[in-house]
């Protein structure tokens, strides 16, 4: 996969993309990430990428010309997703991450200041994404969040076999608790079943813990999760009275 990122702060991306899973995925050739400084496409001598809003009011608006020129230079003739990061976009979820991970290329435009000229939304971006209902100073952190969530889904990116498919949210449930050595720490023992060596019992315990944790913390997810009839029985026993998703 190739990911291109347009920003006026390319230096923000250096350390997050040079650590951990993204670093390894780049080294393995699973993803090729390029950041571009939008100022390189500014045409005036001050390298201006923003201007005051027509009609007055505070703040600065990102100009259309450098962004159009940069996108046109980077994407060639190909039709690729051109994603504007903005708090007005569709909400980023694990499902959106899975959708983006199926593309060969992604191009992110990081908006800054009060926003971008509307013609960028209307005539250039093919998608607009928000990472949550809060306002960041710009799209850079959002582009990093999305890149991280997408790259770890690429086959081979996680160095271990417990697939990303088992993660919280990917299954539609939160994961239950995890433990490692020592078996007793400050008087707190781990659940006995985990050392029983009985795989079916461990699997059942894990599933019930995931259901319990989701019920306690995110009962809204239960209405959408893919659940077996056994899961549903356990949830009813635990007191869940809400709806379940239609089976497909
Ligand atoms: N830019 C500013 N806030 C943002 C958000 N919540 N998501 C994506 N881009 C943004």
């Amino acid at each position: 996969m190739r990911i291109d990122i347009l920003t006026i702060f390319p230096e923000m991306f250096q350390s997050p993309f040079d650590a951990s899973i993204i670093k390894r995925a780049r080294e393995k050739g699973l993803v090729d990430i390029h950041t571009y400084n939008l100022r390189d496409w500014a045409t005036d001598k001050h390298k201006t990428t923003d201007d005051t809003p027509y009609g007055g009011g505070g703040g600065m608006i990102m100009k259309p010309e450098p962004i159009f020129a940069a996108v046109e230079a980077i994407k060639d003739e190909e039709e690729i997703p051109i994603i504007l990061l903005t708090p007005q976009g569709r909400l980023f979820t694990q499902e959106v991450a899975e959708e983006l991970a199926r593309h060969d290329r992604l191009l992110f435009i990081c908006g800054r200041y009060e926003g971008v000229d509307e013609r960028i939304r209307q005539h250039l971006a093919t998608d607009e994404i928000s990472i949550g209902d809060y306002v960041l100073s710009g799209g850079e952190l959002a582009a990093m969040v999305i890149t991280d969530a997408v790259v770890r889904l690429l086959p081979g990116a996680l160095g271990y076999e417990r697939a990303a498919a088992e993660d919280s949210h990917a299954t539609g449930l939160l994961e239950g608790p995890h433990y490692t050595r020592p078996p007793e720490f400050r008087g707190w023992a781990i659940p006995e079943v985990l050392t029983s060596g009985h795989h079916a019992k461990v699997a059942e315990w894990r599933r019930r813990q995931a259901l319990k944790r989701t019920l306690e913390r995110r009962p809204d997810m239960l209405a959408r999760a893919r659940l077996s009839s056994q899961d549903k029985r356990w949830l009813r026993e635990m007191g869940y009275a809400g709806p379940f998703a239609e089976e497909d």
Side-chain angles (χ1 to χ4, degrees):
M1 165 178 268
R2 171 169 163 185
I3 300 178
D4 295 303
I5 301 170
L6 286 178
T7 169
I8 53 167
F9 296 116
E11 67 280 7
M12 282 180 73
F13 292 84
Q14 273 158 18
S15 59
F17 287 174
D18 204 24
S20 185
I21 287 169
I22 299 192
K23 178 183 185 170
R24 210 180 41 224
R26 293 173 67 198
E27 287 170 353
K28 283 185 176 176
L30 300 174
V31 64
D32 190 14
I33 305 176
H34 298 267
T35 53
Y36 299 89
N37 193 335
L38 267 174
R39 290 188 197 284
D40 292 344
W41 282 274
T43 48
D44 63 315
K45 72 168 189 278
H46 301 294
K47 302 269 172 211
T48 311
T49 54
D50 61 336
D51 206 339
T52 52
Y54 273 115
M60 297 293 274
I61 306 300
M62 292 184 83
K63 292 165 64 60
E65 308 96 308
I67 295 183
F68 271 80
V71 168
E72 284 158 7
I74 292 162
K75 87 175 177 80
D76 313 315
E77 297 298 301
E78 278 177 86
E79 290 303 312
I80 62 172
I82 299 168
I83 302 162
L84 178 66
L85 285 329
T86 160
Q88 299 185 7
R90 64 183 173 128
L91 211 52
F92 187 63
T93 62
Q94 190 64 30
E95 262 175 37
V96 177
E98 285 163 13
E99 176 198 319
L100 298 182
R102 290 194 283 270
H103 289 276
D104 289 335
R105 285 187 68 171
L106 300 171
L107 193 159
F108 292 112
I109 302 172
C110 303
R112 273 265 140 187
Y113 309 122
E114 269 53 46
V116 301
D117 186 284
E118 186 66 16
R119 290 163 290 190
I120 294 161
R121 292 177 195 284
Q122 287 183 332
H123 305 295
L124 188 65
T126 61
D127 197 358
E128 298 182 37
I129 297 181
S130 164
I131 62 161
D133 289 339
Y134 39 80
V135 180
L136 302 167
S137 311
E140 283 78 7
L141 288 166
M144 292 178 213
V145 166
I146 295 172
T147 298
D148 187 280
V150 168
V151 168
R152 64 196 304 291
L153 292 175
L154 300 178
L158 301 183
Y160 48 98
E161 282 316 307
R162 202 185 71 101
E166 284 174 33
D167 284 351
S168 285
H169 290 285
T171 59
L173 295 176
L174 302 180
E175 283 179 71
H178 299 292
Y179 296 91
T180 186
R181 274 180 283 275
E184 190 180 315
F185 170 68
R186 298 192 176 176
W188 301 307
I190 66 166
E192 239 170 72
V193 61
L194 294 177
T195 50
S196 68
H198 194 305
H199 295 300
K201 282 204 176 127
V202 171
E204 175 181 326
W205 180 84
R206 287 209 171 119
R207 187 70 183 175
R208 291 174 76 118
Q209 290 294 317
L211 293 165
K212 178 167 174 280
R213 183 152 285 191
T214 311
L215 175 61
E216 286 164 358
R217 300 186 180 201
R218 291 292 306 278
D220 58 296
M221 289 170 67
L222 293 172
R224 281 172 277 130
R226 292 183 65 145
L227 300 168
S228 67
S229 39
Q230 175 67 272
D231 291 334
K232 293 176 190 173
R233 271 197 300 279
W234 283 332
L235 280 165
R236 293 296 186 221
E237 282 167 27
M238 293 175 198
Y240 177 66
F244 292 119
E246 296 279 323
E247 281 171 49
D248 49 25

